[in-house]
């Protein structure tokens, strides 16, 4: 008489021969669930990466079209700032979190400030946020200059102090110089003098030291 073995009995016997196998044999449902979870997570990450790459590609194409279209027309004076800024705001509403959006926005900001349209420049630079300290430096150094041009010296001081804490601050001499200028514009000559004097102690570009000396001479 032939003894029939249950389909899983042989497998269970093999698994029970080791400590790990015994655990798997007793907890098959848990182990299978974990395996499916890992497979699902891996597949999910792959889908997420694909979708993210597709979004980045679409963002890059859209921003490039804006740069070569409306932004170039604004630069040439073929359209006004309102039309250009309106289009950029719409684009940032959809792709504002892409790295390409930051470089395009800063380019638009430079074109606006070159034409003295600082309020519009401040509006759009306030719509972007940095994802790392290097981006933060390039955004905030422009933002501070715009705030100075708008005579928002308190705002400029806040922005510049944030830059001082940035571990990627490329030119501490410029930051100290702009802080001095902001305090000087407010009439706080003591604070201004302190920042100008600090520029002279830093290893920084000579142009910033020359400007600091000039301002110190005007204070005396």
């Amino acid at each position: 008489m032939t003894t029939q073995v249950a389909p899983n009995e042989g497998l269970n016997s093999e698994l029970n021969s080791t400590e790990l196998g015994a655990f798997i044999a007793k907890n098959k449902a848990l182990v299978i669930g974990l395996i499916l979870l890992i497979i699902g997570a891996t597949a999910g990450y792959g889908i997420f990466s694909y979708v993210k790459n597709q979004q980045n590609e679409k963002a890059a194409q859209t921003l490039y079209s804006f740069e070569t279209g409306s932004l170039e027309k604004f630069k040439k004076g073929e359209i006004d700032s309102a039309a250009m800024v309106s289009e950029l705001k719409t684009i940032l509403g959809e792709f504002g979190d892409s790295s390409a959006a930051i470089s395009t926005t800063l380019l638009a900001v430079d074109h606006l400030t070159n034409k003295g349209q600082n309020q519009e420049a401040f509006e759009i630079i306030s719509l972007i946020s940095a994802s790392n300290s290097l981006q933060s430096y390039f955004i905030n150094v422009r933002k501070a200059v715009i705030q100075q041009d708008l005579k928002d010296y308190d705002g400029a001081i806040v922005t510049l102090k944030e830059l001082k804490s940035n571990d990627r601050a490329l030119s501490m001499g410029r930051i100290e110089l702009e802080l001095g200028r902001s305090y000087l514009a407010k009439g706080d000559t003591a604070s201004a003098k302190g920042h100008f004097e600090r520029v002279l102690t830093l290893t920084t570009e000579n142009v910033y030291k020359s400007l600091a000396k000039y301002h110190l001479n005007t204070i005396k």
Side-chain angles (χ1 to χ4, degrees), residues 9-148:
E9 189 174 326
L11 174 62
N12 288 341
S13 177
E14 290 295 325
L15 288 173
N16 282 316
S17 63
T18 65
E19 185 177 345
L20 175 61
F23 173 81
I24 295 173
K26 293 178 181 178
N27 301 276
K28 283 199 208 64
L30 175 61
V31 173
I32 292 171
L34 288 173
I35 291 171
L36 291 175
L37 181 62
I38 293 169
I39 293 172
T42 303
Y45 177 76
I47 293 170
F48 170 79
S49 297
Y50 172 77
V51 171
K52 189 68 174 177
N53 288 336
Q54 291 292 100
Q55 289 175 337
N56 287 337
E57 184 176 345
K58 185 178 178 181
Q61 291 173 347
T62 302
L63 290 161
Y64 176 75
S65 296
F66 168 77
E67 286 185 21
T68 56
S70 296
L71 187 56
E72 186 65 22
K73 289 179 181 178
F74 169 71
K75 181 181 175 182
K76 294 178 179 178
E78 296 175 4
I79 62 173
D80 62 15
S81 61
M84 184 273 285
V85 169
S86 177
E87 183 178 342
L88 180 55
K89 284 181 177 179
T90 299
I91 293 171
L92 292 177
E94 185 174 0
F95 302 114
D97 60 345
S98 71
S99 57
I102 292 177
S103 59
T104 299
T105 301
L106 293 179
L107 185 60
V109 165
D110 289 343
H111 287 316
L112 285 164
T113 54
N114 286 340
K115 294 191 177 189
Q117 295 175 289
N118 297 304
Q119 189 59 53
E120 292 90 337
F122 184 76
E123 286 177 12
I124 61 172
I125 203 170
S126 299
L127 295 176
I128 55 175
S129 56
S131 58
N132 58 59
S133 57
L134 187 60
Q135 290 177 352
S136 177
Y137 174 81
F138 285 112
I139 291 171
N140 284 328
V141 75
R142 282 173 172 82
K143 186 177 181 181
V145 171
I146 294 169
Q147 288 170 310
Q148 288 176 336

Side-chain angles (χ1 to χ4, degrees), residues 184-205:
L184 187 60
K186 284 185 62 177
D188 185 348
T189 55
S191 295
K193 185 178 180 181
H195 287 289
F196 291 140
E197 289 176 340
R198 200 165 295 129
V199 175
L200 303 180
T201 67
L202 298 171
T203 302
T204 187
E205 293 87 336

